[in-house]
Amino acid sequence: DGGIFRIVDGERRYRAMKLLRKQKFTALVCENMDEQDVALTMIRTDSHKQPLTEIEKSRGIQRSLLLGVDPVEVDKATKGKGQAKRVKRTMDKIGDIAEDMTLDRMVVIDEFSDDPDVVEKLINCDEKSWRIVADNARRERKTKQEMAAIKEALIKKGYRVVDEQPEELLLQWRHTQGKGC
């Protein structure tokens, strides 16, 4: 409208031409692209182009999802791993802070959506640390599951299992250990 155009594909070429102080250039202008088409075009990249950074790709996918593009279509356009639905759930949960996150980080936040403490840590750490936070949370989750399985097996065998050991029993145990019993 009014001679104002939006760059859908070729933004890097445009920046290079500005650096070279080019005043005129040839462009392909599409008149009938709706917002969804624009969003999908932004996140597609060909092998002969410089690939998008992880954050650029994440922002493009988020923008597409916000514009109502079906997550299945987003995955097709990006040759994704079926992550768009998980990314959308994370976006809905954490809001604008998702804009500066990679897709992998957002998928991990969805993975831990049932644990608000882990989600909080994943949101508040920096982009370099989130993998460590996720790995620690996975190890902790696995340990809890293993402990629950052991507890269940002991209960099935007829043992009484307590989650916390009373202090006097602990003292008695320490006392007998000291005497070699």
Side-chain angles (χ1 to χ4, degrees):
D1 293 329
I4 297 173
F5 298 90
R6 182 179 343 165
I7 298 171
V8 174
D9 189 26
E11 183 264 341
R12 288 184 176 115
R13 286 186 300 266
Y14 171 75
R15 279 195 274 154
M17 287 187 284
K18 275 181 70 174
L19 287 172
L20 295 170
R21 301 184 194 278
K22 296 276 185 180
Q23 296 292 320
K24 295 182 181 184
F25 55 90
T26 304
L28 175 63
V29 178
C30 299
E31 305 237 355
N32 294 325
M33 290 186 77
D34 63 14
E35 288 294 318
Q36 291 182 359
D37 291 333
V38 169
L40 287 175
T41 302
M42 285 189 306
I43 58 176
R44 285 188 175 114
T45 185
D46 297 329
S47 58
H48 66 280
K49 294 180 182 178
Q50 180 180 356
L52 298 173
T53 67
E54 290 301 313
I55 294 294
E56 288 171 331
K57 185 176 179 181
S58 179
R59 286 179 182 152
I61 288 173
Q62 290 180 57
R63 199 168 294 128
S64 297
L65 294 168
L66 285 171
L67 290 170
V69 178
D70 180 27
V72 174
E73 291 300 314
V74 171
D75 283 331
K76 282 182 193 175
T78 60
K79 299 178 179 99
K81 305 170 203 160
Q83 297 178 332
K85 286 181 183 178
R86 297 180 83 181
V87 168
K88 177 75 169 113
R89 280 195 301 263
T90 300
M91 289 169 50
D92 292 344
K93 183 172 187 155
I94 67 173
D96 292 341
I97 197 164
E99 187 175 327
D100 293 322
M101 293 184 184
T102 61
L103 298 173
D104 290 341
R105 184 175 177 184
M106 293 174 67
V107 168
V108 169
I109 289 171
D110 182 62
E111 175 186 339
F112 288 101
S113 63
D114 62 337
D115 190 334
D117 292 334
V118 175
V119 168
E120 175 108 9
K121 288 177 187 175
L122 288 165
I123 289 171
N124 292 325
C125 67
D126 61 25
E127 193 59 39
K128 294 177 183 176
S129 304
W130 71 264
R131 283 185 171 84
I132 295 167
V133 172
D135 288 344
N136 289 340
R138 285 186 187 109
R139 275 194 293 279
E140 188 175 318
R141 180 179 273 179
K142 183 178 178 184
T143 299
K144 285 179 182 178
Q145 289 170 343
E146 289 170 348
M147 293 302 291
I150 291 169
K151 183 178 177 180
E152 185 178 327
L154 288 171
I155 290 171
K156 282 184 181 178
K157 295 275 187 185
Y159 292 99
R160 190 180 119 213
V161 178
V162 292
D163 290 324
E164 294 182 27
Q165 191 170 12
E167 189 64 31
E168 63 267 2
L169 288 177
L170 183 60
L171 290 173
Q172 287 175 2
W173 178 82
R174 284 185 183 151
H175 180 70
T176 58
Q177 293 299 312
K179 293 185 175 183
C181 297

